[in-house]
Amino acid sequence: MADLDGEVLIRDDAMTPRELRADVPALGEAAYFNFGAHGPSPEYVVEAAAEFVADHEYGSATTDPYGHAFETYESVRERIAAFVGAEPAEIALTESTTDGINRIAGAIDWEPGDVVVRTDLEHPAGILPWKRLEREGVEVRVLETEGGRVDREAYAEAVADARLVCFSAITWTHGTRLPVADLVEVANEAGAFTLVDAVQSPGQGPLDVSAWGADAVAAAGHKWVLGPWGAGFLYVDRETAAGLAPRVVGYRSVDDPNGDEIEYKEGAKRFEVGSTTAAAHVGLAEALDAIDAVGLDAIESRIASLTDRLKAGVPEDRLLSPRAYESGLVTIDVDDPDATVERLAERDIVVRSLPHPNAIRASVHAVSTESEVDRLVDALDAEW
């Protein structure tokens, strides 16, 4: 993590996926395959968050709690920026991906007739903020897809007159990787604002949000990174941020809280509002250190190997995700998804059902094991 003087401190001790798993008390003997929803945290991640709260509260009578908080905001901002390939000034600390998307939605001066384009692959985080804007006369155009893929020609036609485009880097429905840089380029040519939901990306492999070229990227660390809930972050391109005026504003958003006029802070900081605890983000910084200690290349390679093993045990007509590796999210067709989830849970195998497609999804992490994958395959055999 970064210390309170702003220096980024990275673990120099290597760690294996098995060692990382041993640090996560919640996993135990369960075959846990729900990292795409929630990645249980290592013990030291929880301890780091708790230690911040203790230091902040117990020392508040003799030290400046605001100074302590603001120093911590800056240190964790730097750590997150280094992990995702951004500048610290381009990172806002949020609660979640949903929170980040809403902050962008609330910073644009919408007019009746404006068009928002999203795909039919989006999580409610990328659906509900735009649905709300329909009350203001904004048209929400839904791009239909097939098999978790976006047709480039249909996409280009859909975004031709769009004010904003929102899509996921890795789809939560199929685990497919969308060609983010290409989709951003097409939207840029149309003059549309580009917002990427990247919550399934951090912790699965190397990530460079700047290389995508998007105006904004919303994400969080409570999935593959194994960080705490409440540790969201929002990347906003520095030049793009200058033209955005958030509707939700507080003393952390502006240069002078007592000024006669609202002068927003430069960069992404204008999206931060008021007094929030930095505890979750302190835990996230600790989680990022652990992920880096294993190594993102090693994590991605192991996820690929384990998902290959899982897919080899799934009949061709049951596998809804790509046969070749794209992510740790594997979507499988079963006759009754909710009942299947319950039956697997009785065997200490944790997956989730999806609303669309009507299926189950197994999220395979580098901390998963071959024997757990085999348990899942054997249990699914009884479902066919």
Side-chain angles (χ1 to χ4, degrees):
M1 64 176 292
D3 66 12
L4 295 185
D5 294 322
E7 181 182 356
V8 177
L9 305 175
I10 310 295
R11 291 176 186 266
D12 58 5
D13 52 316
M15 187 188 303
T16 67
R18 187 173 294 275
E19 289 170 333
L20 177 56
R21 179 197 172 87
D23 293 335
V24 182
L27 295 182
E29 300 301 317
Y32 185 83
F33 296 109
N34 201 22
F35 295 95
H38 166 62
S41 294
E43 187 172 5
Y44 41 77
V45 168
V46 177
E47 290 175 348
E51 184 177 348
F52 171 82
V53 174
D55 289 346
H56 191 253
E57 299 303 323
Y58 296 159
S60 60
T62 55
T63 60
D64 177 12
Y66 288 90
H68 181 208
F70 272 77
E71 288 174 351
T72 307
Y73 295 150
E74 295 311 309
S75 66
V76 297
R77 189 193 319 280
E78 291 180 10
R79 183 65 186 96
I80 294 167
F83 189 82
V84 303
E87 298 177 10
E90 296 175 316
I91 297 295
L93 306 180
T94 65
E95 290 187 355
S96 63
T97 307
T98 305
D99 182 21
I101 291 175
N102 272 282
R103 295 193 193 197
I104 293 296
I108 295 174
D109 290 328
W110 300 99
E111 298 179 359
D114 282 344
V115 175
V116 169
V117 175
R118 67 167 179 86
T119 76
D120 60 1
L121 302 170
E122 303 313 309
H123 184 275
I127 296 175
L128 296 175
W130 319 124
K131 184 182 290 291
R132 168 64 178 80
L133 288 174
E134 290 178 331
R135 300 182 185 180
E136 300 178 24
V138 173
E139 176 190 347
V140 179
R141 188 175 297 159
V142 181
L143 178 66
E144 295 184 0
T145 61
E146 185 174 350
R149 303 293 186 196
V150 170
D151 180 82
R152 184 185 174 96
E153 186 174 324
Y155 171 80
E157 182 178 346
V159 306
D161 60 345
R163 180 81 183 273
L164 179 145
V165 179
C166 180
F167 60 85
S168 298
I170 297 177
T171 64
W172 76 299
T173 54
H174 296 76
T176 46
R177 288 181 183 264
L178 299 188
V180 176
D182 288 346
L183 297 180
V184 167
E185 182 178 6
V186 172
N188 284 344
E189 291 174 357
F193 188 106
T194 49
L195 172 57
V196 179
D197 177 344
V199 72
Q200 298 291 348
S201 298
Q204 286 213 60
L207 175 62
D208 185 348
V209 296
S210 297
W212 283 344
D215 292 302
V217 178
H222 65 274
K223 298 182 187 290
W224 303 90
V225 173
L226 312 182
W229 284 32
F233 52 92
L234 176 66
Y235 161 84
V236 186
D237 173 78
R238 182 188 291 272
E239 293 184 6
T240 299
L244 297 174
R247 285 179 173 81
V248 179
V249 61
Y251 71 90
R252 283 173 61 191
S253 315
V254 298
D255 286 329
D256 182 3
N258 300 308
D260 293 334
E261 302 291 336
I262 291 179
E263 296 290 342
Y264 290 101
K265 287 184 177 177
E266 291 188 4
K269 289 183 183 180
R270 65 184 56 203
F271 289 95
E272 297 175 5
V273 183
S275 302
T276 58
T277 179
H281 289 91
V282 169
L284 173 59
E286 191 75 20
L288 296 179
D289 288 353
I291 292 294
D292 276 339
V294 177
L296 287 164
D297 288 334
I299 286 173
E300 187 170 43
S301 176
R302 179 159 176 79
I303 293 175
S305 174
L306 291 172
T307 54
D308 285 348
R309 189 182 187 100
L310 171 57
K311 292 172 184 177
V314 178
E316 191 70 34
D317 62 341
R318 293 286 189 172
L319 182 63
L320 302 181
S321 293
R323 179 65 61 177
Y325 170 75
E326 293 192 30
S327 75
L329 301 167
V330 181
T331 302
I332 302 167
D333 181 29
V334 294
D335 295 336
D336 188 336
D338 290 336
T340 299
V341 169
E342 292 181 6
R343 284 192 291 267
L344 292 176
E346 292 172 358
R347 303 175 66 167
D348 288 333
I349 301 172
V350 181
V351 299
R352 67 156 293 170
S353 60
L354 294 175
H356 62 90
N358 190 30
I360 63 169
R361 189 190 71 190
S363 305
V364 183
H365 200 294
V367 299
S368 304
T369 67
E370 288 82 359
S371 63
E372 290 170 347
V373 170
D374 293 344
R375 282 172 60 189
L376 176 56
V377 170
D378 290 343
L380 288 174
D381 279 342
E383 297 289 329
W384 311 135

